[in-house]
């Protein structure tokens, strides 16, 4: 199952994407979650160093991340940086200079677009800073004294 998820993500949700491929990938991921995950079984009852148990947990985590990535990629209808959409080859700052937030809900991954918070480019107003100390003064200087304890022999 892990290798199936990895191959699906590489082929459909990788750097070159399209709405059709993303939609197919999300449908496959949902089917895996509904049909395969409930049938995952661990044969060893021990939890310590149990590789099967770890891999079963990883499959669920991989599905969570894969659905979030696929949902966000499908929602963003533009090409941005190295993530190329075949069906939207141009960058679109007017509509997509934003962050996408993803979280898991009962029906799958939920994606929400939120505007970027812009920072004021001017430096913050602060009280006037004191001048730096001049040579020969102790203002602002630190001293460090290292002492060694001698053991009594």
């Amino acid at each position: 199952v892990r290798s199936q998820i990895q191959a699906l993500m590489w082929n459909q949700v990788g750097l070159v994407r399209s709405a059709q491929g993303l939609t197919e990938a999300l449908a496959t991921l949902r089917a895996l979650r509904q049909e395969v995950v409930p049938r995952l079984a661990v044969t060893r009852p021990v939890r310590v160093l149990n590789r099967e148990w770890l891999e079963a947990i990883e499959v669920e985590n991989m599905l969570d991340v894969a659905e979030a990535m696929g949902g966000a990629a499908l929602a963003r209808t533009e090409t941005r940086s190295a993530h190329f959409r075949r069906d939207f080859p141009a960058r679109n700052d007017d509509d997509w200079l934003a962050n996408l937030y993803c979280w898991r809900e009962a029906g799958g991954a939920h994606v929400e677009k939120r505007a970027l918070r812009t920072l004021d480019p001017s430096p913050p107003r602060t009280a006037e800073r004191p001048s730096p100390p001049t040579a020969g003064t102790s203002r602002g200087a630190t001293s460090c004294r290292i002492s060694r304890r001698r053991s009594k022999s």
Side-chain angles (χ1 to χ4, degrees):
V1 178
R2 290 177 57 191
S3 59
Q4 186 179 357
I5 295 169
Q6 290 169 339
L8 178 70
M9 293 300 290
W10 179 258
N11 294 327
Q12 303 289 352
V13 189
L15 297 178
V16 179
R17 307 163 173 169
S18 69
Q20 179 183 355
L22 292 167
T23 303
E24 291 171 5
L26 287 169
T28 303
L29 292 168
R30 288 185 190 114
L32 286 172
R33 184 180 298 281
Q34 291 173 356
E35 298 166 13
V36 176
V37 170
R39 292 183 296 146
L40 288 177
V42 178
T43 58
R44 291 183 52 210
V46 180
R47 290 185 180 183
V48 178
L49 300 175
N50 189 336
R51 184 100 174 124
E52 287 179 315
W53 193 40
L54 177 65
E55 288 180 2
I57 292 169
E58 284 179 349
V59 164
E60 288 192 73
N61 291 338
M62 287 173 72
L63 286 170
D64 286 342
V65 172
E67 283 185 71
M69 287 176 62
L74 184 61
R76 187 177 284 276
T77 54
E78 68 156 357
T79 290
R80 176 138 325 242
S81 190
H83 302 281
F84 182 78
R85 285 281 302 258
R86 284 189 202 121
D87 44 354
F88 296 96
R91 182 174 164 163
N92 181 355
D93 285 346
D94 293 336
D95 295 330
W96 284 105
L97 200 56
N99 287 321
L100 293 177
Y101 291 80
C102 304
W103 62 88
R104 178 136 186 76
E105 290 184 336
H110 179 78
V111 180
E112 181 179 304
K113 177 179 155 183
R114 296 183 192 170
L116 288 178
R117 292 183 185 169
T118 56
L119 299 175
D120 184 4
S122 61
R125 300 180 111 197
T126 59
E128 190 171 320
R129 296 182 183 195
S131 59
T134 57
T137 65
S138 64
R139 187 171 146 225
T142 56
S143 76
C144 180
R145 182 176 167 190
I146 300 173
S147 62
R148 294 186 186 179
R149 287 189 163 188
R150 295 182 187 216
S151 61
K152 295 181 181 179
S153 340

